[in-house]
Each structure stands twice: as structure tokens, then as C-alpha cells.
């Protein structure tokens, strides 16, 4: 059974940086597109960034130019480098498969809090 465990969140001042990690168990990670999502209090979960099995990436408008998604298939790990963080980036961040059909139940995620 595939499991996804997010880590790396924390409290940071506006303008700061964080690097999130998502450790996946199971080889299915290597053969599928992955993505980072986030959910702020009172808001719907939204896509932040996605990456294909070949490394092609796409970003939400809010993440473009500030965040970088990457993957290390040898380590079954997904990353999200977040720079120039803003208070509006405050949310719980989740990783999951990009394909809705493959998507796992949402885990606990990792909390990112950006202070102004």
C-alpha cells in the first residue's frame, strides 16, 4: 500500500524560504505524475504545483516564479522549494498523485505559517 508522508513545514517570516518533502513508499511513485496541494483555513484545497514522470512542471499563478517542484525517483521523494513566502501562502500543504483516479486519501500534510 502506498503511503505519502509530508514534512518540512514550519513558521517563517514573510520573504523567507522553506523546503517541503514528501516521502512515498511503493514504486508506483516513480511511474506517475505527482503534485503539491494546499488548503488554507476556510478555503478549498488547491493545486500548487505538479510534476510529470519526465520532470515537466506546472504551477498555479500564485506559485509561479517563487516555488519549485522537483522529484527524486531514486529516493521516492517529492520536493517543493518555496521562496519569497507571503502570509497568503499560509496553509496545510499536501502531496498526492496528480491523477484523480490514483489519488490517495489526504494525509495530515505539513503546516506552513508565514508571518507578516
Amino acid at each position: 500500500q502506498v503511503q505519502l508522508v509530508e514534512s518540512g513545514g514550519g513558521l517563517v517570516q514573510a520573504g523567507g524560504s522553506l523546503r517541503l518533502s514528501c516521502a512515498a513508499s511503493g514504486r508506483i511513485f516513480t511511474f506517475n505524475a505527482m503534485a503539491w496541494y494546499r488548503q488554507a483555513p476556510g478555503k478549498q484545497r488547491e493545486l500548487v504545483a505538479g510534476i510529470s514522470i519526465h520532470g515537466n512542471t506546472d504551477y498555479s499563478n500564485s506559485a509561479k516564479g517563487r516555488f519549485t517542484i522537483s522529484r527524486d525517483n531514486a529516493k521516492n521523494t517529492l520536493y517543493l522549494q518555496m521562496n519569497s513566502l507571503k502570509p497568503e501562502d499560509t496553509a496545510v500543504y499536501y502531496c498526492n498523485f496528480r491523477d484523480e483516479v490514483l489519488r490517495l486519501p489526504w494525509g495530515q500534510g505539513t503546516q506552513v505559517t508565514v508571518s507578516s
Side-chain angles (χ1 to χ4, degrees):
Q1 184 177 359
V2 178
Q3 288 187 320
L4 302 170
V5 180
E6 303 94 344
S7 63
L11 173 63
V12 64
Q13 289 189 331
S17 298
L18 283 173
R19 189 193 195 202
L20 307 184
S21 298
C22 170
S25 63
R27 298 226 354 123
I28 191 173
F29 171 89
T30 305
F31 304 110
N32 288 281
M34 300 295 297
W36 284 98
Y37 303 83
R38 71 184 182 187
Q39 187 168 22
K43 295 188 176 181
Q44 288 190 332
R45 188 175 287 116
E46 63 176 355
L47 176 70
V48 176
I51 185 167
S52 73
I53 59 174
H54 302 297
N56 298 316
T57 59
D58 65 288
Y59 299 90
S60 66
N61 287 336
S62 61
K64 205 171 297 183
R66 300 187 299 125
F67 295 0
T68 302
I69 187 172
S70 61
R71 65 191 298 163
D72 186 335
N73 290 337
K75 294 182 179 180
N76 276 5
T77 303
L78 182 72
Y79 302 100
L80 185 67
Q81 177 67 43
M82 305 188 295
N83 299 327
S84 303
L85 283 161
K86 305 175 181 180
E88 51 264 43
D89 295 317
T90 295
V92 179
Y93 285 70
Y94 305 86
C95 65
N96 215 319
F97 293 100
R98 186 69 182 268
D99 187 340
E100 286 188 15
V101 174
L102 296 174
R103 203 165 291 161
L104 298 174
W106 299 100
Q108 292 188 336
T110 186
Q111 175 71 48
V112 171
T113 303
V114 184
S115 63
S116 57

